[in-house]
């Protein structure tokens, strides 16, 4: 099965008010070509789930600078002054989630769990509005799972079925968000025939990938 598509063929997957989950860590392992396409489509009121909002003109930051985003769920925004400015002007909702908690919430969404329990954030602003559960005398926050309409993923090498390999630290959030998107698009630097990636190096199985797009 050949899942390779031209990016223009995927236009109908994107719509106003959608939730996007985007891989990467400060731009490392971020599918820039896919983000540029979402900028071009200029869809509005997007909710983004990602590790961070990178910089003004990198990755997720491009969508924020273009005024397309209504909310982000991220671990930090300190490297993107536009995010901070819009947040303080009440033009962008920012939900900060500790990094370990965020990836576990994504894992919960991808694996069908009802949530995760963590002591991180107990007694701080993080616990506001969240259910607390006591186990053996210790309090935990119930953190709810996260999913997205579409996950945008970067892979170093991908075969035509979607089996994906990530080089070095580009792996970061990408394999986990593959599991938590209703549709998954992988942007890959190199696309090869099925069977040309060593099975021991496949980090995301193609069965969870819907489409593959050639990077630049």
């Amino acid at each position: 099965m050949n899942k390779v598509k031209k990016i223009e063929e995927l236009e109908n997957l994107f719509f106003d008010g959608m939730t996007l989950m985007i891989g990467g860590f400060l731009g490392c392992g971020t599918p820039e070509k896919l983000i540029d396409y979402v900028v071009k489509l200029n869809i509005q009121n997007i909710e983004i789930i990602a590790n961070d909002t990178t910089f003004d003109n990198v990755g997720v930051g491009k969508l924020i600078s273009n005024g397309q985003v209504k909310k982000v769920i991220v671990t930090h925004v300190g490297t993107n002054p536009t995010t901070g400015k819009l947040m303080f002007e009440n033009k962008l909702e920012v939900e900060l989630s500790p990094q370990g908690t965020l990836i576990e919430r994504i894992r919960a969404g991808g694996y069908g769990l009802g949530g995760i329990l963590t002591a991180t954030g107990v007694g701080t602003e993080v616990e506001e509005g969240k259910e607390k559960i006591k186990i053996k005398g210790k309090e935990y926050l119930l953190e709810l799972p996260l999913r997205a309409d579409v996950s945008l993923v970067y892979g170093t090498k991908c075969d035509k079925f979607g089996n994906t390999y990530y080089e070095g630290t580009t792996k970061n959030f990408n394999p986990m968000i593959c599991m938590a998107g209703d549709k998954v698009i992988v942007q890959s630097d190199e696309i090869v025939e099925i069977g040309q990636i060593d099975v021991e190096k496949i980090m995301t199985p193609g069965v969870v990938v819907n489409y593959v797009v050639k990077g630049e």
Side-chain angles (χ1 to χ4, degrees):
M1 181 179 181
N2 189 350
K3 298 179 181 178
V4 180
K5 300 288 183 182
K6 294 181 179 179
I7 196 167
E8 294 79 12
E9 295 179 82
L10 306 180
E11 181 176 353
N12 65 338
L13 297 179
F14 301 96
F15 53 90
D16 291 348
M18 74 180 304
T19 299
L20 285 176
M21 202 173 281
I22 302 175
F25 185 104
L26 288 177
C28 175
T30 298
E32 296 286 351
K33 181 176 179 178
L34 294 177
I35 291 173
D36 287 344
Y37 185 65
V38 178
V39 170
K40 179 181 177 181
L41 292 177
N42 199 32
I43 59 171
Q44 298 295 309
N45 298 316
I46 304 170
E47 180 174 317
I48 290 177
I49 302 166
N51 180 70
D52 52 75
T53 59
T54 61
F55 309 96
D56 279 339
N57 295 306
V58 177
V60 173
K62 300 174 188 175
L63 296 166
I64 291 172
S65 295
N66 201 42
Q68 295 175 253
V69 184
K70 68 174 180 181
K71 179 179 179 178
V72 294
I73 303 176
V74 293
T75 65
H76 70 89
V77 298
T79 55
N80 188 323
T82 301
T83 303
K85 179 177 182 292
L86 294 174
M87 178 177 67
F88 287 118
E89 292 175 350
N90 294 316
K91 295 178 180 178
L92 175 67
E93 183 180 352
V94 175
E95 179 182 333
L96 293 174
S97 183
Q99 191 172 76
T101 300
L102 179 61
I103 195 62
E104 282 294 284
R105 293 176 69 191
I106 293 170
R107 183 180 68 85
Y111 287 83
L113 304 180
I116 60 114
L117 295 177
T118 177
T120 302
V122 172
T124 73
E125 291 182 5
V126 173
E127 75 172 31
E128 186 176 337
K130 296 175 182 175
E131 182 178 352
K132 288 198 285 187
I133 296 174
K134 186 173 286 189
I135 300 176
K136 295 183 178 181
K138 185 173 182 178
E139 285 190 325
Y140 297 87
L141 299 181
L142 173 61
E143 294 279 2
L144 299 179
L146 294 171
R147 287 193 61 85
D149 297 303
V150 176
S151 287
L152 303 181
V153 178
Y154 167 86
T156 307
K157 182 184 289 188
C158 200
D159 70 21
K160 291 181 177 180
F161 184 66
N163 294 306
T164 305
Y165 165 74
Y166 310 92
E167 183 74 28
T169 55
T170 64
K171 185 177 180 181
N172 51 62
F173 273 34
N174 282 300
M176 203 61 74
I177 72 167
C178 273
M179 304 299 298
D182 294 341
K183 298 291 183 182
V184 177
I185 308 171
V186 176
Q187 171 195 318
S188 183
D189 290 343
E190 183 181 357
I191 300 174
V192 299
E193 296 295 331
I194 297 170
Q196 289 187 335
I197 301 177
D198 184 341
V199 293
E200 297 297 331
K201 292 186 177 181
I202 292 172
M203 299 174 182
T204 292
V207 69
V208 301
V209 174
N210 297 99
Y211 306 104
V212 177
V213 171
K214 182 71 169 67
E216 296 178 347

